[in-house]
Amino acid sequence: MLSVSSSSPNPVRRTADLRKGRLSVVGARYFVTFATARRALLLASPAAIAAAHAVCQRLVQTGDVSALTATMMPDHVHLLFQLGDTLTLDRVVAKWRTLVRHAVPGLAWQANFFEHRLRADELSEGYAWYVFMNPYRAGLIGTDSVWPGWWTDGVTSHEFLALARPGPCPQPEWVGEVDERAKRLILGE
């Protein structure tokens, strides 16, 4: 979260405000984003990706979360999951970050994270599609390739995957649709 002070024209980071109003609700679905410290590009290595996939699988197997979909970008992570009854939201994120940090030399995380708890009547499909499309939207990979940092639990079905090309790879026209869909998610549509 950035804020512009009337006494200073430069933005001032207010990450402590991210914690205000944060609730950990068993069974609720969350969209979470967190970044490496100083946005260091430490998450693109095969070792980092393998560690992240193993941690995702572990969180599902231990019941900490269910319905997990994730994308690891070079400097940040998106997680979409349903919170289990063993850990709080903060503890799930801390566990994920700690386990991946142990596998990636020099990795440090920013102090906080962004979280959005989906309303009970809110569909998760748009969030899952956004998580899947993030590396393609960023131009890190072409639509004819599979992003290695993407992971899903294999149980959760996402409608867009039935329309994806084998791999899964996105349809080329989806890249242009991402910004419009992302705007609708932000507006809660």
Side-chain angles (χ1 to χ4, degrees), residues 29-48:
R29 294 166 298 142
Y30 290 91
F31 172 67
V32 175
T33 301
F34 47 90
T36 60
R38 296 170 303 285
R39 299 300 288 237
L41 304 174
L42 296 172
L43 301 176
S45 73

Side-chain angles (χ1 to χ4, degrees), residues 76-189:
H76 68 279
V77 176
H78 295 293
L79 301 175
L80 176 65
F81 60 88
Q82 183 171 348
L83 188 62
D85 60 3
T86 58
L87 297 176
T88 65
L89 172 63
D90 288 338
R91 295 293 9 136
V92 166
V93 172
K95 183 176 182 177
W96 197 99
R97 295 190 325 177
T98 298
L99 292 172
V100 172
R101 183 175 45 83
H102 288 308
V104 181
L107 177 60
W109 297 104
Q110 281 186 356
N112 213 327
F113 62 92
F114 166 82
E115 135 277 329
H116 169 73
R117 182 169 42 98
L118 281 66
R119 296 182 312 272
D121 64 342
E122 191 173 5
L123 298 176
S124 61
E125 183 71 13
Y127 293 93
W129 190 80
Y130 178 84
V131 168
F132 175 74
M133 289 300 298
N134 202 248
Y136 301 98
R137 176 182 183 227
L140 298 177
I141 194 167
T143 59
D144 58 340
S145 300
V146 175
W147 180 250
W150 183 75
W151 188 88
T152 189
D153 60 20
V155 176
T156 306
S157 62
H158 300 297
E159 294 174 16
F160 69 87
L161 289 177
L163 303 172
R165 295 180 298 141
C169 295
Q171 298 294 340
E173 62 271 15
W174 290 1
V175 174
E177 295 175 19
V178 173
D179 288 332
E180 274 308 308
R181 285 194 185 190
K183 286 178 195 172
R184 289 196 307 267
L185 288 176
I186 291 167
L187 297 173
E189 297 176 356

Side-chain angles (χ1 to χ4, degrees), residues 39-89:
R39 299 300 288 237
L41 304 174
L42 296 172
L43 301 176
S45 73
I49 291 168
H53 288 197
V55 171
C56 288
Q57 188 171 13
R58 181 174 171 179
L59 289 174
V60 171
Q61 288 173 342
T62 58
D64 298 328
V65 302
S66 62
L68 178 64
T69 299
T71 288
M72 195 158 73
M73 301 290 282
D75 65 350
H76 68 279
V77 176
H78 295 293
L79 301 175
L80 176 65
F81 60 88
Q82 183 171 348
L83 188 62
D85 60 3
T86 58
L87 297 176
T88 65
L89 172 63

Side-chain angles (χ1 to χ4, degrees), residues 14-33:
R14 296 175 35 210
T15 56
D17 288 349
L18 291 173
R19 292 185 193 99
K20 290 181 181 177
R22 182 175 288 160
L23 293 176
S24 186
V25 179
V26 172
R29 294 166 298 142
Y30 290 91
F31 172 67
V32 175
T33 301

